[in-house]
Amino acid sequence: MNEQKKGTRRRGEILEDAILLAAWEELSETGYTNMTMESVAMRARTNKAVLYRRWNNKTELVMAALRKHLPKIKNDIPNTGDLRSDLYAYLHGLMEPLKLIGTQTIRGLLMEPMVWRIIISSMPQVIEKRSENKLMTGMMEILKNAELRGEIKLEKLTPRIISLPWAIIQYEVITKLEPISDEAIAEIVDDIFIPLLRATQQ
């Protein structure tokens, strides 16, 4: 379908927002595999050429739509009075955006070479700035609260140990190509991370 009538034609940011909203809705309703540039253009009431002037392909468009419309990870740090409960609630919250994206979209994106180039190119920065990472900051706050309650001694934990739960979750998502389940989060907390923390306190 062509652009709106002359005089009411959308341009710039208004048009781009309409396209990204259409892409988000199309992704939610039809899934990554069935979504096309043409279907997004029709939903946005524009044409494919307009989309291709901004994004080279469907992958770029989807990633832009996710950045625009996917709920941001909450910065709320749980403080339930118990380390195990705090860890579970925090990791569960981190997974909510991925569950909203859905398995098909995760699999579709992780099959795209462009996405892997982005992941690989970002790894050195993530490792280099590990202490500044928001996820690490959240984990540190949880562990500091646990230390104040006398549950652990933070000085005995290395950055690698502290980042372990998120590293396992990343591995699970990438290898299984789907959001990690609540049961898996509980296993990571109860069978891996908590026992490791206890072992370091000896």
Side-chain angles (χ1 to χ4, degrees), residues 73-74 76 78 84-100 139 142 165-166 169 179-186 188-189:
I73 293 175
K74 295 180 180 179
D76 299 338
R84 190 270 174 196
S85 299
D86 288 350
L87 288 169
Y88 178 84
Y90 185 61
L91 296 176
H92 175 81
L94 295 179
M95 283 296 98
E96 286 306 296
L98 280 185
K99 290 178 181 177
L100 188 58
M139 186 65 73
I142 288 173
W166 181 240
I169 285 176
I180 190 168
S181 67
D182 292 344
E183 292 76 16
I185 292 175
I188 291 170
V189 173

Side-chain angles (χ1 to χ4, degrees), residues 133-149:
N133 187 286
K134 286 185 179 180
L135 300 175
M136 277 288 284
T137 301
M139 186 65 73
M140 282 296 296
E141 189 167 336
I142 288 173
L143 295 174
K144 286 177 182 177
N145 289 336
E147 184 174 48
L148 290 173
R149 294 191 297 264

Side-chain angles (χ1 to χ4, degrees), residues 9-21:
R9 181 171 294 174
R10 299 159 298 169
R11 300 179 186 279
E13 188 174 339
I14 293 175
L15 176 57
E16 185 165 308
D17 285 347
I19 294 171
L20 292 177
L21 177 59

Side-chain angles (χ1 to χ4, degrees), residues 130 156-165 193 196-197 200:
R130 184 180 300 187
K156 295 190 175 184
L157 304 180
T158 65
R160 184 167 283 109
I161 290 175
I162 294 170
S163 64
L164 182 61
F193 195 54
L196 178 59
L197 291 181
T200 64

Side-chain angles (χ1 to χ4, degrees), residues 49-103:
V50 173
L51 273 64
Y52 280 112
R53 283 199 292 269
R54 291 166 171 79
W55 303 280
N56 292 320
N57 50 54
K58 181 175 77 170
T59 304
E60 287 188 7
L61 174 58
V62 168
M63 293 180 71
L66 292 177
R67 283 192 293 268
K68 179 75 174 179
H69 292 286
L70 190 66
K72 300 297 185 290
I73 293 175
K74 295 180 180 179
N75 292 323
D76 299 338
I77 306 301
N79 189 4
T80 65
D82 172 69
L83 176 57
R84 190 270 174 196
S85 299
D86 288 350
L87 288 169
Y88 178 84
Y90 185 61
L91 296 176
H92 175 81
L94 295 179
M95 283 296 98
E96 286 306 296
L98 280 185
K99 290 178 181 177
L100 188 58
I101 292 174
T103 299

